[in-house]
Amino acid sequence: MPTDIEIARAAKPRPIADVAAGLGIPAEAVFAYGPHKAKIALPWLTGLDRPQGKLVLVTAISPTPAGEGKTTTTVGLGDALNRIGKKAVICLREPSLGPCFGMKGGAAGGGHAQVIPMEEINLHFTGDFAAIAAANNLLAAMVDNHIYWGNALDIDARRVTWRRVVDMNDRALRGIVSSLGGIANGFPREDGFDIVVASEVMAIFCLATDLDDLVARLGRIVVAETRDGEPVTAKDLKADGAMAVLLKDALAPNLVQTLEGNPAFVHGGPFANIAHGCNSVAATRAGLKLGDYVVTEAGFGADLGAEKFFDIKCRKAGLRPDAAVVVATVRALKMHGGVARGDLGSEDAAAVTRGAVNLARHLQNVKRYGVPVVVAINRFAADTEAEIRAVEAAAEAEGTTAIVCTHFADGGKGAEALAEAVVGLADSGAADFAPLYPDGMRLLDKISTVAVSLYGASEVVADKAIRDRLARFEAAGHGDLPVCMAKTQYSFSADPALMGAPSNHAVPIREVRLSAGAGFIVVICGTIMTMPGLPRRPAAEAIRLDADGNVEGLF
Amino acid sequence: MPTDIEIARAAKPRPIADVAAGLGIPAEAVFAYGPHKAKIALPWLTGLDRPQGKLVLVTAISPTPAGEGKTTTTVGLGDALNRIGKKAVICLREPSLGPCFGMKGGAAGGGHAQVIPMEEINLHFTGDFAAIAAANNLLAAMVDNHIYWGNALDIDARRVTWRRVVDMNDRALRGIVSSLGGIANGFPREDGFDIVVASEVMAIFCLATDLDDLVARLGRIVVAETRDGEPVTAKDLKADGAMAVLLKDALAPNLVQTLEGNPAFVHGGPFANIAHGCNSVAATRAGLKLGDYVVTEAGFGADLGAEKFFDIKCRKAGLRPDAAVVVATVRALKMHGGVARGDLGSEDAAAVTRGAVNLARHLQNVKRYGVPVVVAINRFAADTEAEIRAVEAAAEAEGTTAIVCTHFADGGKGAEALAEAVVGLADSGAADFAPLYPDGMRLLDKISTVAVSLYGASEVVADKAIRDRLARFEAAGHGDLPVCMAKTQYSFSADPALMGAPSNHAVPIREVRLSAGAGFIVVICGTIMTMPGLPRRPAAEAIRLDADGNVEGLF
């Protein structure tokens, strides 16, 4: 089989204006970025008075090194829905540029289930991440500049929490001392950089419902505390207006297409640990107005991705999902069943059955939200019939159908059965969405509810300092916010080695942070890396232009 | 008179596709970025077989706080040439985003001589600077990553000269210690950030003649030395290919338009001190193939801007300028004649005459290159007839015509006389361009030649360490490179307070640096700031969106 980039380059893309026209978007609302990318004007989108389409979430079992294929399934399902005559729109996150040069290559689907132009999406795309980085870093510069020019707000330089960002895997910037070199350069302090997707500006960008909401959220960002412990916000620094100016064009959703020429909004890409891991509300809303079905995905497994999609994004944006798909692979379930990565080649249906406890709990969890669910088995060539049957049986035991998909090899045709099942669920009226916990619940109880109900934990461990901090957030009026769990994606527990469906574990809370602009309380359980590093042999070493000026080595 | 942004917003821009069609660019070579910006495909441009147009440089007297209006004159002249029936293309530098939020506002001309869309050009534009920053910072990450993973090249961490960049005025990043926080974060070392326009990648981007040349130049960048003092290059780190991939789309020139609908390439924007301060070779070459006249500008006064345009850009890109315009204002010449800024309101023709020694020397200097020259008097409302006459007389004494222009108030109509004069010069065949010094001259002699011939200096002062370093550059095969002088723009001397036309001063060389990728030796005379700071009241505080989503406060 050819590589992703070879498949992507061999595609004959439609002019993006035609893709937009297919959705009924008039030319004057299409801001082209070359022939195959466009932003769709926000004022036109918000002015649309059309019935909403159905919202379908693609989520997954707990990820393993074997790979699950959530993005390919999202793309394959979208293509399949269009193939069976439905007007479907795909909504995905934008990939981050930095990691393309490290280990993982791009992130625009794979095989015959990709969004294109693959190289452009993986590199600068329409400049959204650059705009987010600029807004983040303008605020950072204004914090230090305020201190430099007299510090009228009495910012405690030791308590500046706002970090700078860069869209690059650069471990050297994780911890720095800044403002060195003398009087003209300010007051030295400890500081550091995160990767752009970890910026609160990214989360805000993805949750903002319009420009006014964007400005208000940016203004609420807490950047530091005074020596008395009072919060200092972006609005206090008068940075919110200029930040919004930097973001205003970026906030219009990006339209591209699948290999099969179907519309896809690819817009926003917040971290799925310290942020909520979904594409922008602007894109999802656009899709719902323009399509009869919107297929979207959320980061990591359903315990993190679907939970945040439901409890943060849907709750805050007033979205009501109609169906969900949980993606599983035979290989990954085998790993959850105890098979080592090197041994995945031999048939082992019993291991699949053992590992399917992971799938089962994710299915139970999704149903708690009142959202009907189907399992997509993302088939690999080596999967045997007995192994497939084991997945189907596990799904059936949960009252759920499991459907074999081959979109990676076959494109949308390989996901038509899944599409039929999804249409059946979404059109059944069975959905009765409700978030897991009410806004008014105490913050610590929200954390416990997620941990006990979804993770199978027996308890949450939070020392007095953590509990006091949560109480302070409540006293300051942030008690109504949802919680954003930052936990390993590899396990229901906080221990990445505990695969399958561990129960009665304790979830330790290491730290809680207020993201007042994004509108959630980040709850950190374990170690969370907000700035990746490059590996010994970075992918960058093999990325180059060939003799025709095409990109080589971006996979 | 309305503000720049009000004038820009009131304009009725042509669709950029029409502007491109007016230059004979087919639709398939036009990569639109929304309705009013486009990149023009490089392969189409390089494949063009058309006679070259005439090349006209707009330069200026030594700048003063009174303002000269070089960019407005470039735009006004381009508009005027089109008005008198010539097919003229304007080539300008791209403004940097960071400074828009500091003191100076935008940089896309002013009054009725602007390029539009003004806000977009001043903000993210087509993402070129973000691409340049990413390429710069990928290389930086790969340097530290190489050291982290065993340092096979034996890089001396104390001798890493490659700095990171951000497009923001952020003094806190001028001097940092990076890689703090323990083993996982690398080896702590002193480091720092420059603003994007100061990156050698920016200079390379602007001097590269095609993608192959771009890759070769990127590979030659020296990022550090080994403990033995041997240079380590980007190619040694295998970063050149990935950097070129990040830059390949950006290298296509950006087409926009003036307020009067005439074509303007706005592309690249290197510093005019540690780099050469001109728009990209790609844009200038595009203009020369598409237009009968190209009007372009160079940074600062003619001692720096024109010198580098001639000795670096034209020399290396094989360009042969046909005419030059030196912009002067009555107000600025009065300041050169000793009048304080607060006293500019009163008529003082004698001061203009005194200050015109500055103009005279710039005229003499331009003529040394074999380029015929005309003076543009950028007229302000308060200028008196006697003062204008004083400028005209000074120009006449140098055998040069001075022509009053009112493009700021009147648009292209206000520069028609200048346009007629420029056409006369450019079409006369009088130009016989040659750079100031030959490639083969010793580096120190090149520096002396510039200082003595153009600056009126009696000598160059360089201590042994500097002379040894220049000798090492020569021994390493870099002796053929031109020199890139980094000197204050406010004086012919290295002392910014010495206005007018100082003579017999000494030019002290503080430092010399090799920019092997850009292809010049930077010669630093005095203090050069490569990372600006924000002022006490940053412009950002007043920049915001109004109720209609338009930008306010960007001027």
Side-chain angles (χ1 to χ4, degrees), chain A residues 89-169:
Chain A
V89 177
I90 293 160
C91 287
L92 293 173
R93 285 169 293 164
E94 297 180 57
S96 182
L97 180 154
C100 291
F101 298 97
M103 192 110 61
K104 76 191 248 316
H112 291 276
Q114 293 187 51
V115 285
I116 51 171
M118 181 268 220
E119 292 145 276
E120 296 174 37
I121 293 170
N122 276 312
L123 294 176
H124 310 291
F125 202 24
T126 57
D128 294 343
F129 285 21
I132 289 164
N136 182 105
N137 292 343
L138 173 62
L139 178 55
M142 289 177 80
V143 171
D144 280 303
N145 193 59
H146 180 87
I147 297 172
Y148 180 84
W149 287 106
N151 199 10
L153 291 169
D154 194 28
I155 292 172
D156 185 340
R158 302 164 306 177
R159 298 180 186 179
V160 175
T161 48
W162 192 251
R163 289 160 63 88
R164 289 166 173 84
V165 295
V166 65
D167 198 0
M168 200 54 66
N169 289 12

XYZ file of all heavy atoms in Angstrom, chain A residues 89-169:
610
model
N -20.965 16.463 7.127
C -19.804 17.334 7.271
C -18.920 16.765 8.384
O -19.424 16.355 9.427
C -20.241 18.774 7.625
C -19.025 19.665 7.837
C -21.147 19.346 6.547
N -17.622 16.756 8.146
C -16.665 16.261 9.132
C -16.064 17.449 9.878
O -15.793 18.491 9.265
C -15.560 15.458 8.409
C -16.157 14.186 7.810
C -14.409 15.133 9.328
C -15.321 13.586 6.708
N -15.875 17.296 11.178
C -15.196 18.332 11.962
C -14.031 17.710 12.723
O -14.227 16.810 13.545
C -16.159 18.976 12.959
S -17.372 20.058 12.191
N -12.824 18.205 12.443
C -11.611 17.660 13.057
C -10.790 18.778 13.684
O -10.952 19.949 13.351
C -10.739 16.976 11.999
C -11.269 15.705 11.349
C -10.334 15.287 10.224
C -11.388 14.594 12.376
N -9.871 18.343 14.546
C -8.884 19.286 15.074
C -7.782 19.546 14.046
O -7.515 18.707 13.192
C -8.238 18.716 16.342
C -9.152 18.775 17.546
C -8.577 17.968 18.679
N -8.582 16.557 18.329
C -7.888 15.631 18.958
N -7.093 15.967 19.957
N -7.956 14.365 18.591
N -7.151 20.695 14.163
C -5.969 20.994 13.348
C -4.753 20.341 13.993
O -4.583 20.425 15.198
C -5.702 22.501 13.305
C -6.769 23.311 12.666
C -6.423 24.804 12.660
O -5.363 25.173 12.116
O -7.211 25.592 13.182
N -3.893 19.742 13.176
C -2.660 19.214 13.755
C -1.703 20.341 14.106
O -1.755 21.430 13.550
C -2.089 18.341 12.641
C -2.744 18.780 11.394
C -4.025 19.467 11.746
N -0.841 20.053 15.033
C 0.191 20.978 15.465
C 1.405 20.794 14.570
O 1.749 19.680 14.193
C 0.518 20.642 16.923
O 1.460 21.503 17.463
N 2.033 21.898 14.206
C 3.179 21.849 13.301
C 4.400 21.204 13.963
O 5.059 20.358 13.381
C 3.485 23.283 12.862
C 4.611 23.602 11.915
C 4.295 24.888 11.176
C 5.931 23.770 12.632
N 4.693 21.617 15.188
C 5.911 21.175 15.850
C 6.113 19.664 15.835
O 7.165 19.174 15.402
N 5.114 18.906 16.289
C 5.306 17.449 16.360
C 5.559 16.776 15.009
O 6.111 15.679 14.973
C 3.988 16.972 16.980
C 3.517 18.141 17.787
C 3.912 19.342 16.978
N 5.178 17.405 13.894
C 5.476 16.831 12.579
C 6.976 16.613 12.395
O 7.394 15.756 11.619
C 5.022 17.753 11.456
S 3.255 17.892 11.328
N 7.777 17.428 13.082
C 9.233 17.344 12.906
C 9.896 16.464 13.963
O 11.104 16.335 13.992
C 9.836 18.749 12.922
C 9.312 19.575 11.800
C 8.265 20.455 11.980
C 9.843 19.419 10.535
C 7.762 21.181 10.920
C 9.349 20.143 9.478
C 8.295 21.025 9.667
N 9.053 15.921 14.856
C 9.591 15.063 15.897
C 9.411 13.605 15.542
O 10.074 13.073 14.660
N 8.443 12.987 16.174
C 8.284 11.556 16.059
C 7.137 11.183 15.152
O 7.218 10.258 14.356
C 7.986 11.020 17.455
C 8.083 9.531 17.557
S 9.510 9.036 18.543
C 9.157 9.761 20.137
N 6.019 11.842 15.283
C 4.770 11.243 14.869
C 4.324 11.560 13.462
O 3.368 10.962 12.971
C 3.670 11.614 15.864
C 3.142 13.035 15.749
C 2.261 13.366 16.933
C 0.803 13.548 16.591
N 0.457 14.319 15.421
N 4.995 12.458 12.777
C 4.498 12.808 11.461
C 3.225 13.601 11.578
O 2.913 14.152 12.634
N 2.476 13.656 10.504
C 1.289 14.494 10.449
C 0.084 13.890 11.127
O 0.151 12.818 11.713
N -1.038 14.573 11.038
C -2.255 14.123 11.701
C -3.459 14.590 10.912
O -4.174 15.491 11.317
C -2.310 14.644 13.129
N -3.666 13.994 9.771
C -4.814 14.386 8.950
C -5.505 13.124 8.435
O -5.981 13.059 7.320
C -4.344 15.267 7.793
N -5.569 12.099 9.306
C -6.091 10.805 8.892
C -4.984 9.982 8.270
O -3.794 10.285 8.426
N -5.378 8.905 7.576
C -4.369 8.066 6.969
C -4.986 7.132 5.958
O -6.213 7.004 5.872
N -4.123 6.503 5.173
C -4.602 5.569 4.162
C -5.564 6.271 3.209
O -5.287 7.383 2.743
N -6.692 5.615 2.944
C -7.683 6.206 2.047
C -8.746 6.988 2.809
O -9.815 7.272 2.271
C -8.300 5.113 1.168
C -7.305 4.570 0.184
N -7.050 5.182 -1.030
C -6.455 3.526 0.255
C -6.097 4.505 -1.669
N -5.725 3.492 -0.912
N -8.455 7.309 4.052
C -9.361 8.133 4.867
C -8.564 9.314 5.404
O -8.087 9.305 6.529
C -9.965 7.302 5.994
N -8.387 10.291 4.542
C -7.588 11.468 4.894
C -8.328 12.738 4.510
O -9.168 12.736 3.612
C -6.266 11.490 4.112
C -5.279 10.402 4.435
C -3.955 10.642 3.713
O -3.377 11.720 3.780
N -3.486 9.625 2.996
N -7.952 13.818 5.175
C -8.334 15.137 4.691
C -7.137 15.714 3.946
O -5.987 15.451 4.301
C -8.801 16.080 5.822
C -10.203 15.708 6.283
C -7.842 16.062 7.005
N -7.420 16.465 2.922
C -6.364 17.039 2.089
C -6.633 18.539 1.891
O -7.776 18.967 2.068
C -6.277 16.331 0.712
C -7.673 16.273 0.066
C -5.673 14.956 0.843
C -7.662 15.790 -1.371
N -5.657 19.343 1.551
C -4.255 19.011 1.231
C -3.461 18.675 2.491
O -3.241 19.540 3.329
C -3.731 20.280 0.570
C -4.594 21.384 1.129
C -5.929 20.783 1.387
N -3.032 17.418 2.560
C -2.407 16.851 3.745
C -1.184 17.637 4.200
O -1.029 17.948 5.386
C -2.062 15.390 3.424
C -1.422 14.644 4.574
S 0.394 14.703 4.547
C 0.766 13.034 5.039
N -0.291 17.992 3.246
C 0.933 18.678 3.654
C 0.618 20.072 4.209
O 1.182 20.492 5.207
C 1.886 18.828 2.460
C 2.460 17.524 1.970
C 2.636 17.529 0.461
O 1.645 17.232 -0.240
O 3.732 17.814 -0.004
N -0.287 20.766 3.536
C -0.605 22.125 3.984
C -1.290 22.105 5.345
O -1.039 22.962 6.194
C -1.477 22.831 2.941
C -0.734 23.016 1.628
C -1.621 23.591 0.525
O -2.470 24.427 0.804
O -1.454 23.162 -0.642
N -2.191 21.132 5.551
C -2.877 21.026 6.841
C -1.870 20.751 7.946
O -1.955 21.302 9.040
C -3.960 19.927 6.787
C -5.090 20.333 5.834
C -4.515 19.627 8.176
C -6.081 19.218 5.526
N -0.882 19.917 7.654
C 0.106 19.572 8.675
C 1.137 20.669 8.911
O 1.782 20.687 9.953
C 0.838 18.285 8.286
C 0.057 17.055 8.702
O -0.403 16.966 9.834
N -0.132 16.128 7.787
N 1.296 21.558 7.963
C 2.309 22.610 8.147
C 1.626 23.892 8.620
O 1.029 23.906 9.676
C 3.121 22.776 6.855
C 3.962 21.511 6.535
C 4.678 21.640 5.204
C 4.984 21.237 7.635
N 1.623 24.933 7.845
C 1.101 26.202 8.375
C -0.409 26.327 8.252
O -1.015 27.154 8.904
C 1.756 27.375 7.654
C 3.239 27.291 7.594
N 4.026 27.429 8.709
C 4.104 27.057 6.566
C 5.295 27.294 8.366
N 5.366 27.065 7.076
N -1.023 25.547 7.381
C -2.471 25.581 7.134
C -2.921 27.028 6.900
O -2.344 27.691 6.026
C -3.186 24.899 8.306
C -4.566 24.411 7.970
C -4.927 24.133 6.662
C -5.511 24.217 8.968
C -6.210 23.679 6.359
C -6.803 23.767 8.672
C -7.138 23.507 7.366
N -3.907 27.519 7.632
C -4.352 28.894 7.400
C -3.823 29.854 8.455
O -4.350 30.966 8.595
C -5.887 28.954 7.378
O -6.368 28.439 8.619
C -6.459 28.108 6.249
N -2.806 29.416 9.184
C -2.161 30.330 10.121
C -2.833 30.469 11.475
O -2.461 31.344 12.262
N -3.801 29.611 11.786
C -4.514 29.746 13.060
C -3.580 29.615 14.256
O -3.669 30.384 15.217
C -5.604 28.672 13.185
C -6.716 28.847 12.170
O -6.828 29.941 11.585
O -7.481 27.882 11.968
N -2.676 28.620 14.184
C -1.826 28.390 15.355
C -0.822 29.525 15.521
O -0.456 29.874 16.638
C -1.102 27.038 15.236
C -1.991 25.847 15.504
C -3.370 25.938 15.397
C -1.450 24.633 15.874
C -4.194 24.846 15.643
C -2.264 23.532 16.131
C -3.623 23.631 16.008
N -0.403 30.098 14.410
C 0.494 31.252 14.498
C -0.235 32.425 15.154
O 0.346 33.163 15.955
C 1.006 31.643 13.110
N -1.510 32.587 14.823
C -2.292 33.674 15.423
C -2.471 33.432 16.920
O -2.373 34.359 17.733
C -3.648 33.780 14.728
N -2.722 32.183 17.287
C -2.903 31.852 18.705
C -1.594 32.065 19.461
O -1.587 32.627 20.560
C -3.426 30.407 18.829
C -4.884 30.362 18.350
C -3.298 29.884 20.258
C -5.416 28.976 18.063
N -0.488 31.663 18.858
C 0.820 31.882 19.498
C 1.076 33.373 19.676
O 1.549 33.808 20.733
C 1.932 31.251 18.667
N 0.754 34.161 18.666
C 1.000 35.609 18.756
C 0.155 36.222 19.873
O 0.643 37.057 20.644
C 0.705 36.287 17.416
N -1.108 35.815 19.971
C -1.974 36.354 21.026
C -1.444 35.957 22.405
O -1.382 36.775 23.330
C -3.408 35.860 20.833
N -1.040 34.696 22.533
C -0.484 34.216 23.804
C 0.762 35.013 24.176
O 0.925 35.444 25.324
C -0.140 32.728 23.669
C 0.398 32.123 24.962
O -0.302 31.394 25.658
N 1.649 32.403 25.298
N 1.629 35.213 23.193
C 2.927 35.824 23.482
C 2.841 37.337 23.622
O 3.681 37.942 24.287
C 3.941 35.420 22.414
C 4.276 33.940 22.506
O 4.001 33.297 23.532
N 4.839 33.379 21.454
N 1.836 37.942 22.997
C 1.605 39.369 23.249
C 1.231 39.562 24.720
O 1.760 40.453 25.395
C 0.487 39.902 22.341
C 0.056 41.343 22.640
C 1.202 42.328 22.444
C -1.137 41.741 21.771
N 0.344 38.722 25.209
C -0.054 38.822 26.615
C 1.157 38.628 27.531
O 1.339 39.366 28.501
C -1.150 37.787 26.914
C -1.651 37.708 28.362
C -2.137 39.063 28.865
C -2.776 36.670 28.464
N 1.996 37.654 27.207
C 3.189 37.405 28.023
C 4.112 38.622 28.024
O 4.621 39.033 29.076
C 3.939 36.177 27.489
N 4.307 39.204 26.843
C 5.175 40.389 26.762
C 4.576 41.538 27.564
O 5.306 42.310 28.198
C 5.374 40.797 25.300
N 3.240 41.637 27.555
C 2.595 42.738 28.289
C 2.670 42.529 29.808
O 2.673 43.499 30.567
C 1.157 42.927 27.803
C 1.115 43.521 26.382
S -0.559 43.687 25.705
C -1.098 45.219 26.531
N 2.729 41.286 30.253
C 2.909 41.022 31.686
C 4.278 41.554 32.128
O 4.379 42.352 33.058
C 2.814 39.507 31.987
C 3.234 39.230 33.432
C 1.409 38.982 31.714
N 5.326 41.116 31.436
C 6.669 41.554 31.842
C 6.860 43.050 31.602
O 7.576 43.703 32.367
C 7.729 40.735 31.090
C 7.933 39.359 31.717
O 8.254 39.290 32.912
O 7.749 38.350 31.005
N 6.226 43.557 30.566
C 6.338 44.988 30.299
C 5.678 45.816 31.406
O 6.178 46.875 31.786
C 5.689 45.307 28.948
C 6.019 46.691 28.448
O 7.177 47.022 28.266
N 4.994 47.513 28.258
N 4.564 45.294 31.915
C 3.890 45.991 33.014
C 4.784 46.051 34.248
O 4.903 47.091 34.903
C 2.567 45.286 33.341
C 1.821 45.940 34.453
N 0.950 46.986 34.254
C 1.860 45.727 35.790
C 0.481 47.381 35.421
N 1.014 46.629 36.368
N 5.433 44.930 34.551
C 6.338 44.899 35.707
C 7.501 45.875 35.475
O 7.873 46.646 36.356
C 6.858 43.463 35.935
C 5.688 42.530 36.277
C 7.924 43.436 37.022
C 6.065 41.051 36.333
N 8.007 45.861 34.244
C 9.161 46.705 33.891
C 8.876 48.184 34.114
O 9.711 48.927 34.622
C 9.508 46.445 32.431
C 10.666 47.230 31.881
C 11.971 46.787 32.055
C 10.457 48.403 31.169
C 13.041 47.503 31.534
C 11.518 49.117 30.641
C 12.807 48.671 30.826
O 13.857 49.370 30.305
N 7.684 48.619 33.732
C 7.367 50.043 33.763
C 6.721 50.478 35.078
O 5.937 51.422 35.095
C 6.459 50.422 32.593
C 7.180 50.444 31.275
C 7.084 49.531 30.282
C 8.096 51.429 30.807
N 7.880 49.864 29.229
C 8.512 51.035 29.517
C 8.627 52.615 31.359
C 9.431 51.779 28.763
C 9.534 53.352 30.595
C 9.926 52.929 29.328
N 6.985 49.771 36.155
C 6.540 50.284 37.452
C 5.601 49.365 38.193
O 5.353 49.549 39.375
N 5.001 48.409 37.500
C 4.197 47.380 38.143
C 3.058 47.953 38.982
O 2.888 47.608 40.161
C 5.108 46.473 39.006
C 4.465 45.143 39.320
O 3.418 44.803 38.764
N 5.078 44.395 40.213
N 2.279 48.806 38.372
C 1.164 49.455 39.069
C 0.171 48.445 39.631
O -0.490 48.703 40.634
C 0.451 50.424 38.116
N 0.055 47.288 38.998
C -0.900 46.279 39.484
C -0.302 45.413 40.592
O -0.966 44.510 41.098
C -1.343 45.380 38.320
C -2.213 46.027 37.239
C -2.345 45.086 36.033
C -3.601 46.361 37.788
N 0.958 45.659 40.957
C 1.611 44.917 42.040
C 1.682 43.419 41.746
O 1.436 42.574 42.612
C 0.870 45.176 43.367
C 1.698 44.701 44.571
O 2.950 44.694 44.458
O 1.102 44.315 45.579
N 2.009 43.078 40.496
C 2.170 41.659 40.133
C 3.360 41.073 40.883
O 4.433 41.670 40.915
C 2.395 41.522 38.607
C 1.125 41.909 37.848
C 2.858 40.108 38.245
C 1.314 41.999 36.334
N 3.163 39.923 41.472
C 4.249 39.206 42.134
C 4.970 38.376 41.076
O 4.408 37.407 40.556
C 3.676 38.309 43.235
C 4.756 37.608 44.050
O 5.906 37.508 43.560
O 4.453 37.176 45.170
N 6.194 38.753 40.755
C 6.910 38.107 39.646
C 7.092 36.611 39.888
O 7.282 35.849 38.944
C 8.270 38.779 39.432
N 7.012 36.195 41.142
C 7.136 34.756 41.439
C 5.850 34.007 41.134
O 5.799 32.795 41.129
C 7.476 34.567 42.920
C 8.750 35.266 43.362
C 8.796 35.368 44.878
N 7.583 36.011 45.415
C 7.336 36.185 46.704
N 8.197 35.771 47.601
N 6.218 36.784 47.094
N 4.777 34.756 40.969
C 3.460 34.143 40.788
C 2.883 34.410 39.409
O 1.665 34.427 39.216
C 2.494 34.655 41.849
C 2.932 34.283 43.255
C 1.966 34.792 44.291
N 2.478 34.546 45.651
C 1.858 34.901 46.774
N 0.689 35.520 46.709
N 2.393 34.643 47.939
N 3.736 34.680 38.463
C 3.269 34.791 37.073
C 3.061 33.372 36.558
O 4.000 32.574 36.525
C 4.290 35.537 36.190
C 3.845 35.533 34.734
C 4.477 36.968 36.690
N 1.845 33.044 36.167
C 1.565 31.681 35.688
C 1.444 31.628 34.175
O 1.396 30.553 33.588
C 0.256 31.162 36.306
O -0.746 32.178 36.168
C 0.448 30.826 37.772
N 1.379 32.778 33.537
C 1.209 32.815 32.082
C 2.534 32.524 31.407
O 3.487 33.279 31.568
C 0.666 34.171 31.637
C 0.216 34.142 30.214
C 0.815 34.732 29.156
C -0.937 33.465 29.709
N 0.118 34.461 28.018
C -0.967 33.680 28.322
C -1.941 32.691 30.290
C -1.965 33.150 27.508
C -2.937 32.174 29.492
C -2.938 32.406 28.102
N 2.620 31.444 30.644
C 3.846 31.061 29.969
C 3.797 31.438 28.501
O 2.740 31.628 27.929
C 4.050 29.543 30.117
C 4.417 29.146 31.544
C 4.141 27.682 31.826
N 4.904 26.763 31.026
C 6.115 26.289 31.325
N 6.702 26.680 32.442
N 6.730 25.430 30.540
N 4.935 31.547 27.896
C 5.013 31.787 26.462
C 4.825 30.473 25.710
O 4.914 29.392 26.308
C 6.341 32.460 26.114
C 6.401 33.910 26.613
C 7.775 34.494 26.599
N 7.760 35.918 26.913
C 7.746 36.434 28.148
N 7.765 35.634 29.198
N 7.729 37.749 28.341
N 4.577 30.543 24.413
C 4.377 29.319 23.628
C 5.127 29.402 22.305
O 5.421 30.492 21.793
C 2.878 29.048 23.315
C 2.096 28.775 24.595
C 2.259 30.174 22.516
N 5.411 28.229 21.749
C 6.002 28.120 20.425
C 5.495 26.801 19.842
O 5.233 25.858 20.587
C 7.547 28.193 20.530
C 8.125 27.012 21.289
C 8.212 28.318 19.183
N 5.278 26.760 18.532
C 4.745 25.527 17.935
C 5.909 24.662 17.462
O 6.140 24.494 16.259
C 3.792 25.849 16.782
C 2.904 24.650 16.464
O 3.047 23.599 17.133
O 2.069 24.751 15.547
N 6.644 24.158 18.436
C 7.852 23.398 18.141
C 8.101 22.477 19.334
O 7.776 22.844 20.456
C 9.026 24.389 17.981
C 10.229 23.893 17.245
S 9.893 23.211 15.609
C 9.312 24.666 14.688
N 8.616 21.303 19.083
C 9.031 20.415 20.180
C 10.407 20.880 20.641
O 11.401 20.615 19.966
C 9.133 18.968 19.691
C 7.779 18.358 19.402
O 6.776 19.053 19.343
N 7.746 17.049 19.227
